[in-house]
């Protein structure tokens, strides 16, 4: 256990299962961000990619950094630019040992920055790639639960995590029954009853925590224009601990164990 400090008063050891360290919001102070994360007890991080160039950057970023892993994939917001040749490019990157999952992929019918047909095509292609390589998926679903369930059942592949979970109980129960992990971000701290209900029903060996940094600053730190970063995950750990009736140390430990199991670390 790390030494207790002002940055980590409980001596937590945490795995941030979803962040975007290659975001341009970290261009000016990434070294300091990583130092603050270490002081806060964040021992491991998974930096998640959103398109092919970002995947290439993430692989390079992780290569010589202990405790930092990555995914390769194409976000649903980027699906309009998806090309069939992208799958081979992503596949080739998976030879790198720091690549632990395919994604961030999925469906987002809330923002609809890309057309639904293109989102479904990109999602299908990445499910097939993950299945071929026996890798987990990092899945983004927003206002698209029914379409996502149908598509995943079509491929009969259920390895991975539903990140930044924001759907309802029915989708959570389906995901748990299929074997998915469910991850909660800083949005859990915003007090929505539906999210608290879902957190209570997820088995303790299927639950994870994340920041989705630089997005979704936890409630105690929220301010207009403020950027999220991995060091702030301690707030999500604390809120989840309160919901589950556990200590922050227990939640940090079990969510880290789950992330390491999910991503085969």
């Amino acid at each position: 256990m790390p030494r207790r400090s002002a940055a980590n008063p409980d001596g937590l050891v945490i795995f941030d299962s979803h962040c975007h360290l290659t975001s341009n919001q970290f261009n000016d102070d990434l070294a300091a961000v990583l130092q603050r994360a270490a002081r806060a007890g964040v021992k491991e991080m998974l930096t998640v990619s959103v398109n092919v160039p970002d995947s290439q950057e993430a692989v390079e970023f992780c290569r010589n950094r202990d405790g930092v892993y990555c995914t390769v994939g194409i976000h649903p917001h980027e699906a309009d630019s998806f090309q069939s040749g992208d799958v081979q490019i992503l596949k080739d990157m998976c030879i790198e040992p720091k690549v632990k999952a395919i994604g961030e992929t999925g469906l987002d019918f809330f923002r609809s920055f890309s057309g639904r047909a293109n989102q479904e095509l990109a999602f299908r292609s990445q499910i097939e790639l993950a299945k071929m390589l026996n890798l987990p998926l990092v899945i983004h679903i927003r206002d698209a639960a029914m379409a996502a369930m149908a598509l995943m059942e079509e491929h009969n592949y259920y390895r991975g995590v539903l990140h930044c979970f924001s759907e309802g109980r029915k989708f959570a129960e389906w995901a748990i029954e299929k074997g998915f992990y469910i991850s909660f971000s800083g949005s859990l701290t915003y007090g929505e009853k539906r999210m608290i209900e879902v957190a209570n029903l997820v088995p303790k060996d299927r639950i994870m925590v994340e920041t989705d940094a630089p997005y979704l600053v936890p409630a105690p730190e929220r301010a207009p224009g403020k950027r999220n970063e991995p060091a702030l995950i301690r707030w999500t750990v604390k809120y989840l601990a309160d919901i589950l009736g556990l200590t922050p140390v227990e939640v940090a430990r079990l969510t880290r164990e789950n992330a390491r199991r999910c991503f085969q670390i």
Side-chain angles (χ1 to χ4, degrees):
M1 179 181 294
R3 183 178 300 172
R4 295 170 185 263
S5 66
N8 189 15
D10 295 305
L12 305 179
V13 183
I14 308 171
F15 195 128
D16 183 351
S17 67
H18 192 116
C19 55
H20 298 275
L21 297 175
T22 55
S23 167
N24 59 17
Q25 293 195 43
F26 294 120
N27 283 353
D28 295 335
D29 64 342
L30 183 55
V33 167
L34 296 176
Q35 289 171 358
R36 286 193 291 271
R39 288 198 296 268
V42 182
K43 186 173 180 63
E44 291 125 338
M45 293 171 274
L46 186 76
T47 187
V48 175
S49 303
V50 298
N51 55 40
V52 168
D54 188 43
S55 298
Q56 294 167 330
E57 185 178 351
V59 169
E60 182 64 29
F61 175 79
C62 293
R63 187 173 284 133
N64 297 312
R65 285 183 167 88
D66 292 340
V68 183
Y69 306 92
C70 70
T71 72
V72 296
I74 297 167
H75 194 287
H77 291 342
E78 304 278 335
D80 279 352
S81 61
F82 171 74
Q83 301 177 28
S84 58
D86 291 342
V87 175
Q88 185 62 48
I89 298 172
L90 295 175
K91 181 183 177 184
D92 290 345
M93 283 188 270
C94 291
I95 195 171
E96 293 278 350
K98 285 296 192 76
V99 176
K100 296 300 181 183
I102 302 299
E104 173 175 358
T105 184
L107 303 173
D108 192 318
F109 296 166
F110 178 76
R111 298 287 185 191
S112 294
F113 290 154
S114 289
R116 293 191 179 193
N118 287 339
Q119 290 189 45
E120 291 178 358
L121 175 61
F123 192 19
R124 280 192 175 94
S125 298
Q126 290 174 89
I127 294 173
E128 291 169 3
L129 177 61
K131 189 172 185 178
M132 179 193 310
L133 300 176
N134 195 30
L135 285 172
L137 289 155
V138 172
I139 302 173
H140 170 117
I141 304 296
R142 193 169 185 192
D143 284 7
M146 295 302 293
M149 286 190 286
L151 201 154
M152 287 186 277
E153 287 179 348
E154 173 187 318
H155 292 270
N156 193 35
Y157 191 67
Y158 307 108
R159 282 196 64 198
V161 56
L162 299 178
H163 109 89
C164 192
F165 193 86
S166 63
E167 301 291 331
R169 183 186 184 105
K170 181 178 179 180
F171 188 42
E173 290 175 337
W174 174 88
I176 292 164
E177 190 273 331
K178 294 297 184 182
F180 282 112
Y181 292 81
I182 291 179
S183 181
F184 294 98
S185 69
S187 60
L188 182 67
T189 71
Y190 302 164
E192 186 179 347
K193 290 182 179 179
R194 180 179 65 170
M195 298 291 292
I196 294 170
E197 179 185 22
V198 170
N200 273 308
L201 69 86
V202 180
K204 291 183 176 60
D205 63 352
R206 300 279 190 82
I207 200 164
M208 290 197 274
V209 290
E210 63 175 271
T211 54
D212 202 15
Y215 314 107
L216 299 174
V217 180
E221 301 277 351
R222 286 180 96 185
K226 182 165 183 175
R227 179 193 69 182
N228 198 7
E229 61 179 74
L232 301 184
I233 198 171
R234 68 186 187 277
W235 293 111
T236 303
V237 171
K238 180 182 184 301
Y239 272 68
L240 183 58
D242 290 344
I243 290 168
L244 300 180
L246 300 172
T247 68
V249 170
E250 289 171 326
V251 167
R253 183 179 67 247
L254 72 89
T255 55
R256 180 180 177 227
E257 289 172 352
N258 294 342
R260 290 177 63 87
R261 186 185 319 113
C262 177
F263 300 120
Q264 298 182 295
I265 296 170

